[in-house]
Amino acid sequence: MTRVLIITGDPLAAAIAGPAIRALNIALTLQQVGHEVRLVSTTRAEHPAPPVPMFAVAAGDERGISVHERWAEVVLFQGYATTQFRAIARTDRVLIADAYDPMHLEMLEQGRELPPATWALRVATARDALNDQLRRADLILCASERQRLFYLGQLAGLGRLSPATYADDGDLRGLLAVVPFGLEPSPPVADEGSGMRGVVPGIDADSRVLIWGGGVYSWFDPLTLIRAVGIARAREPRIRLFFLGTRHPGVDEMGIVRESFDLATELGLEGREVIFNDTWVPYDRRGAYLVEADAGVSTHHVHVETTFSFRTRILDYLWAGLPMVVTEGDGFAELVEAEGLGIVVPANDADALADALVRVLADSPEVQSWRANVARVRERFVWEAVLQPVLDAVARPRRAADATPGRDAMGVGARARRTAGVGHTLRMTWHHLRAEGLGSVTSRIRRRLAR
């Protein structure tokens, strides 16, 4: 048995999103095979019935995190933990960095609506924090082979592709392992009255429902999808597009949410063919919605974030046995096409997308074959299977071959600045004052106090 500390920056509550879902399922899987686990959130831990011990430790609270870090033999973390806590950056425990979300690429898209100076700062902060964890970690987790190639280049630039790491591990799987997002082994079951049909206005037993799982963010393309629904309704008047969640817990709503609502209203679709759930469905209730859908959809723009993304909502579609329509350009589009799980469409093409929506909602042998393929492929992604590299590492904890005392000696290059504490707060206040003015600083203080 190994004592494992898992750290996430996402809230741990009834309504949780991707990073917390992943952290929770890693914790559950490790606990089920006999390890002792603690799960820490740097925002809040308010799960109504925590299946594993959960704690909230604010970023920068060194005394609070040190209690858990000293208890642990292995520390697995997501996000900014090494720049938020000196105890994690300097730990002598085995350190596993869960880099399944290339946060510097995500910030290129997430920061588009920010003032230029703040956008540049956010990207640089994410880049430096990621480089910092890649330097320090004994094992790095990524979500796909595409990501693995990307991170191998980044690790080479940091000096970690060296004789020490290469000598007994020629493919470097011991340093950089592929651990996709996973799914529960048992598919969801219908629970009458707790999903969409007969509950959500406009969706009844006869509706043909497309579900958009997860949040609406600027790197996605809900606008082309809404236009495609408007085109498709002439051929399939029962079509309904349901956005499962528009408010990510812990993340400010993006402008694309308002743009989507406005476009649906302008086209006369809002509340009829296009329906927005303006909350976030609790994690343990999402299956009731998914199982009542006829197909899953995910549309996005094509850019560098797309190339290395891992759309976790696609796993929910697999879990629920849904055929799907997805945009080309990412790893899951390749999977959908190769395994016959649905239809891959060009980016930003409303007509092609409308044709695909009509096909995926039809009662046809083609759709039945897609459903059969989804059921087959689903088995590859159950949590216990995808987490095998983590299970192996925790069963036999070991430091990386190039590890040195203090960890700061790993790799080369500038160190990341702290992203928590008084110094960080003062730097950020000064930045926003210079870049955006006093009004922006005042509004940010108000939002923080409100949270």
Side-chain angles (χ1 to χ4, degrees):
M1 182 186 75
T2 303
R3 297 185 301 277
V4 186
L5 170 63
I6 300 175
I7 305 172
T8 180
D10 257 24
L12 296 168
I16 57 177
I21 291 169
R22 183 173 168 93
L24 175 60
N25 279 282
I26 293 173
L28 287 170
T29 304
L30 290 172
Q31 183 176 261
Q32 287 163 4
V33 298
H35 300 294
E36 195 172 347
V37 183
R38 292 182 184 179
L39 187 52
V40 167
S41 168
T42 60
T43 47
R44 66 180 191 274
E46 300 170 354
H47 198 285
V52 295
M54 294 183 182
F55 306 86
V57 179
D61 180 358
E62 296 293 342
R63 181 176 297 179
I65 202 66
S66 291
V67 171
H68 302 293
E69 181 267 337
R70 288 292 87 192
W71 166 87
E73 297 168 276
V74 174
V75 177
L76 187 154
F77 73 94
Q78 302 167 341
Y80 293 86
T82 59
T83 57
Q84 291 173 331
F85 302 108
R86 290 188 179 90
I88 301 302
R90 299 171 180 172
T91 187
D92 58 358
R93 279 31 181 169
V94 171
L95 192 62
I96 301 176
D98 187 5
Y100 88 100
D101 179 9
M103 54 193 186
H104 52 338
L105 301 185
E106 183 177 79
M107 196 56 66
L108 285 170
E109 283 298 315
Q110 190 174 327
R112 278 187 180 276
E113 298 172 13
L114 299 171
T118 302
W119 185 15
L121 177 65
R122 292 275 185 91
V123 173
T125 300
R127 176 202 65 213
D128 293 346
L130 183 60
N131 279 337
D132 190 66
Q133 62 187 256
L134 295 182
R135 287 189 199 95
R136 298 175 188 277
D138 297 299
L139 173 64
I140 299 138
L141 310 180
C142 61
S144 67
E145 290 295 339
R146 278 192 183 200
Q147 281 190 10
R148 189 169 190 274
L149 293 174
F150 177 67
Y151 282 135
L152 281 172
Q154 203 157 342
L155 286 167
L158 294 171
R160 296 208 63 190
L161 270 61
S162 66
T165 56
Y166 186 79
D168 298 318
D169 184 21
D171 64 357
L172 296 167
R173 298 279 171 178
L175 178 63
L176 177 59
V178 176
V179 178
F181 213 90
L183 50 83
E184 296 153 53
S186 300
V189 295
D191 185 5
E192 188 175 352
S194 64
M196 298 176 288
R197 296 181 187 268
V199 177
V200 175
I203 300 180
D204 58 26
D206 194 45
S207 299
R208 307 298 290 170
V209 182
L210 303 160
I211 194 164
W212 175 283
V216 180
Y217 313 125
S218 57
W219 50 89
F220 288 111
D221 182 19
L223 303 182
T224 300
L225 177 58
I226 291 168
R227 292 188 183 98
V229 168
I231 297 168
R233 67 175 168 178
R235 293 157 59 190
E236 176 48 89
R238 300 171 298 170
I239 191 170
R240 300 291 185 269
L241 169 62
F242 183 69
F243 286 92
L244 185 60
T246 56
R247 294 185 183 274
H248 182 299
V251 176
D252 292 337
E253 182 181 291
M254 293 186 180
I256 190 63
V257 175
R258 172 51 55 183
E259 290 179 49
S260 300
F261 184 86
D262 289 346
L263 178 61
T265 301
E266 176 188 333
L267 297 177
L269 304 173
E270 196 281 319
R272 293 169 52 86
E273 289 80 10
V274 177
I275 300 164
F276 296 90
N277 177 30
D278 62 359
T279 60
W280 193 266
V281 172
Y283 177 61
D284 59 2
R285 286 189 54 214
R286 77 197 193 286
Y289 290 80
L290 289 160
V291 78
E292 291 187 354
D294 294 291
V297 288
S298 180
T299 52
H300 52 253
H301 303 291
V302 176
H303 39 54
V304 70
E305 190 275 341
T306 296
T307 303
F308 298 105
S309 67
F310 191 88
R311 307 292 184 205
T312 57
R313 64 195 64 202
I314 304 294
L315 270 298
D316 269 349
Y317 302 159
L318 286 175
W319 180 49
L322 299 179
M324 58 199 82
V325 177
V326 301
T327 307
E328 66 184 0
D330 65 6
F332 266 123
E334 292 180 349
L335 181 70
V336 169
E337 196 159 48
E339 298 290 351
L341 309 180
I343 306 171
V344 177
V345 297
N348 312 119
D349 188 335
D351 291 320
L353 183 53
D355 290 341
L357 299 181
V358 173
R359 281 175 62 194
V360 82
L361 293 177
D363 293 316
S364 67
E366 180 181 46
V367 172
Q368 292 307 312
S369 71
W370 293 335
R371 286 187 176 274
N373 291 337
V374 168
R376 172 179 52 80
V377 171
R378 175 171 56 204
E379 300 306 313
R380 300 183 200 170
F381 289 93
V382 296
W383 279 111
E384 191 169 353
V386 301
L387 287 175
Q388 194 58 54
V390 177
L391 295 174
D392 292 343
V394 169
R396 295 174 293 279
R398 64 177 182 84
R399 296 295 308 278
D402 60 344
T404 55
R407 291 188 183 271
D408 281 347
M410 279 188 186
V412 295
R415 298 291 173 230
R417 289 194 296 187
R418 296 259 295 163
T419 57
V422 175
H424 169 71
T425 300
L426 291 174
R427 283 195 304 273
M428 293 305 298
T429 301
W430 177 238
H431 164 82
H432 290 301
L433 187 63
R434 285 186 304 156
E436 302 168 31
L438 182 60
S440 173
V441 172
T442 302
S443 66
R444 287 173 182 275
I445 292 172
R446 286 175 180 159
R447 288 199 299 272
R448 177 169 292 191
L449 289 174
R451 287 198 295 269

